Amino acid sequence: MSLATGAIGPPIPPAASPVVRSAEAFLARLFPAPRHFDVRLWDGTVLPAQGESTFTLAVNAPGSLRRMFRVPLALSLGEAYVRGDFDIEGEVWAAAPGM
């Protein structure tokens, strides 16, 4: 409730942690606009696609991005997937060109 008016307003979202802000900045550089898939971070933050989303990249832990995108990339992505660092929800084959 608002103290000034007594009205119930929309909930105020919690401020993003520095780790979430850092992940958002990294993903914006890695996948610049227009990005055609959603990204859901470990804390529930959703970074929406520009336009229709073909799949969702679910990042499951704060250290996942670091493990996913280190060299050698193909090996790191495979290991991170097996470890459960990320999931792909939706059309899996649509994810291949974007990643």
Side-chain angles (χ1 to χ4, degrees), residues 5 7 25 59 66 99:
T5 64
V59 181
R66 181 176 43 251
M99 300 202 44

Side-chain angles (χ1 to χ4, degrees), residues 44-66:
T45 300
V46 176
L47 310 174
Q50 289 79 32
E52 184 178 345
S53 176
T54 54
F55 67 94
T56 298
L57 173 64
V59 181
N60 295 327
S64 295
L65 290 173
R66 181 176 43 251

